Amino acid sequence: MDLREYQRRAQETDRNPSNTEEGLIVPLLGLAGEVGTLLSDYKKKLRDRDTYRLFKENVAEELGDILWYVANVATKFGLEIDEIARLNLKKTRERFLREDISECTNPYLLFDEGAPPEEQFPRQFSVEFTQQMQGKTAAVFLKWNGHIIGNRLTDNAYADDGYRFHDVFHLSYAAILGWSPVMRKLMGRKRRSQPKVDEVEDGGRSTVIEEGISAYVFSYAADHDFLQNSQTLDYELLRTIKKLTANLEIRERSTAQWEQAILTGYHVWHEMRSHEGGTVHVDMIKRTLTFSPTTNTHR
């Protein structure tokens, strides 16, 4: 039996089919009650162990009752349970099916494919971070292809929190997601031959959004040991990022890919901060971001 057929037939046994307040609250309370009963059955299993011989049968019955109430609530809110199931699978796959980059032989299409070569990100490149002291303040500048890019950055904070190295995060977005308006601007790789793309995808608004994401994640990371030993991120954080980028080309990347980019960036950021500088290596084909210390870093 498919879910659509189940939902239709479940409605035939609804004793209160109206969409009044009572008609809605009864299945909602029933849903909560059946979940409670399921928990109670599991408590009995823990208490009685193998002597509770009807455990599986009772769990199956309770799950069936929960399914009935889910179908009933969906119907009364004008929803199709098969569509709910489809969207849930899409959400969970995007959230949890993270790719094994080490086995990546068929990379996704990069956003600047088809653009003139001078408007594309180099597929492999390295950026050197050098720290210098300006009085008592540490400042960092970036060098790519033998040239300084961007401005010298400090933490712009009362405390030394390492945000001066935050361009590592933009490089991680480029490496893992194939996207970074910030780095595209710094490297002079804006897609000027496509005026609308240059305006929307590579312009000031998208750059502000990316910087905002970096600052937002940094604030979250500060409350979680700067993701030192984190393997996952809060889903609400990732969902907010998806909302912020919903109208940009990066919307094609999943929450799992964003999670991978953020965690990879923080892994390299920790190494960078520990060495007070170094070189970040970006490989957009293999989707990797790696770090190597440099011997000429100024402290």
Side-chain angles (χ1 to χ4, degrees):
M1 177 182 294
D2 64 30
L3 290 175
R4 183 172 297 183
E5 174 67 9
Y6 175 85
Q7 184 174 1
R8 184 189 67 78
R9 293 179 63 177
Q11 283 308 106
E12 295 174 355
T13 56
D14 186 5
R15 309 309 297 166
N16 197 342
S18 70
N19 279 359
T20 61
E21 183 177 355
E22 181 181 349
L24 291 170
I25 196 63
V26 167
L28 288 171
L29 290 174
L31 182 58
E34 295 300 337
V35 171
T37 303
L38 180 61
L39 290 172
S40 180
D41 270 313
Y42 189 65
K43 179 203 71 175
K44 293 177 184 178
K45 174 64 174 176
L46 292 175
R47 183 191 64 196
D48 300 338
R49 299 185 183 277
D50 292 341
T51 61
Y52 188 11
R53 299 185 181 282
L54 296 179
F55 175 66
K56 285 189 176 181
E57 290 83 349
N58 288 343
V59 168
E61 181 179 352
E62 299 307 331
L63 289 175
D65 291 341
I66 290 171
L67 182 60
W68 188 94
Y69 281 116
V70 168
N72 190 268
V73 171
T75 298
K76 289 179 177 175
F77 282 107
L79 300 169
E80 296 289 341
I81 194 171
D82 62 334
E83 180 66 5
I84 292 171
R86 185 188 70 80
L87 291 174
N88 179 259
L89 284 178
K90 180 176 183 293
K91 168 187 167 181
T92 53
R93 290 179 69 84
E94 288 182 351
R95 173 65 184 92
F96 296 110
L97 288 186
R98 192 189 300 176
E99 295 172 291
D100 183 351
I101 293 180
S102 65
E103 298 180 359
C104 178
T105 57
N106 185 28
Y108 45 52
L109 189 69
L110 294 169
F111 295 118
D112 58 10
E113 292 284 353
E118 66 273 12
E119 296 180 0
Q120 294 183 4
F121 275 124
R123 294 329 189 213
Q124 292 94 19
F125 63 95
S126 298
V127 176
E128 182 182 356
F129 288 63
T130 300
Q131 177 173 287
Q132 295 178 336
M133 298 305 296
Q134 297 179 348
K136 295 183 179 180
T137 302
V140 170
F141 67 87
L142 275 58
K143 185 179 289 186
W144 167 67
N145 209 21
H147 301 283
I148 293 175
I149 57 175
N151 300 316
R152 283 172 167 77
L153 300 177
T154 67
D155 287 339
N156 294 125
Y158 292 112
D160 180 345
D161 61 5
Y163 199 70
R164 59 191 178 277
F165 297 114
H166 85 277
D167 281 320
V168 168
F169 307 142
H170 301 306
L171 290 169
S172 187
Y173 303 158
I176 309 301
L177 305 173
W179 176 85
S180 176
V182 171
M183 293 310 303
R184 194 177 288 281
K185 179 181 179 180
L186 292 180
M187 297 171 71
R189 297 299 173 115
K190 296 183 67 177
R191 289 164 285 184
R192 299 188 186 280
S193 64
Q194 304 172 65
K196 199 62 180 178
V197 172
D198 183 31
E199 175 191 358
V200 176
E201 302 293 351
D202 303 342
R205 185 173 179 179
S206 60
T207 300
V208 169
I209 288 173
E210 185 185 356
E211 289 286 14
I213 289 171
S214 294
Y216 173 53
V217 175
F218 196 81
S219 177
Y220 168 89
D223 293 332
H224 296 80
D225 196 26
F226 287 106
L227 310 183
Q228 181 75 56
N229 298 304
S230 298
Q231 301 298 318
T232 60
L233 300 174
D234 186 83
Y235 180 65
E236 287 303 313
L237 175 82
L238 298 170
R239 188 164 71 169
T240 298
I241 292 172
K242 290 290 288 182
K243 287 181 179 179
L244 288 170
T245 58
N247 295 317
L248 298 172
E249 59 191 2
I250 190 61
R251 64 182 175 273
E252 296 181 17
R253 303 297 185 245
S254 69
T255 50
Q257 290 167 331
W258 266 106
E259 182 178 61
Q260 195 166 15
I262 292 168
L263 293 175
T264 299
Y266 272 86
H267 173 75
V268 172
W269 176 83
H270 278 288
E271 293 191 87
M272 179 71 72
R273 192 179 183 193
S274 173
H275 288 85
E276 297 184 350
T279 301
V280 175
H281 308 282
V282 174
D283 191 322
M284 297 180 68
I285 301 301
K286 295 181 179 178
R287 293 179 236 170
T288 59
L289 188 80
T290 55
F291 171 84
S292 62
T294 52
T295 58
N296 61 342
T297 300
H298 298 282
R299 298 182 181 232

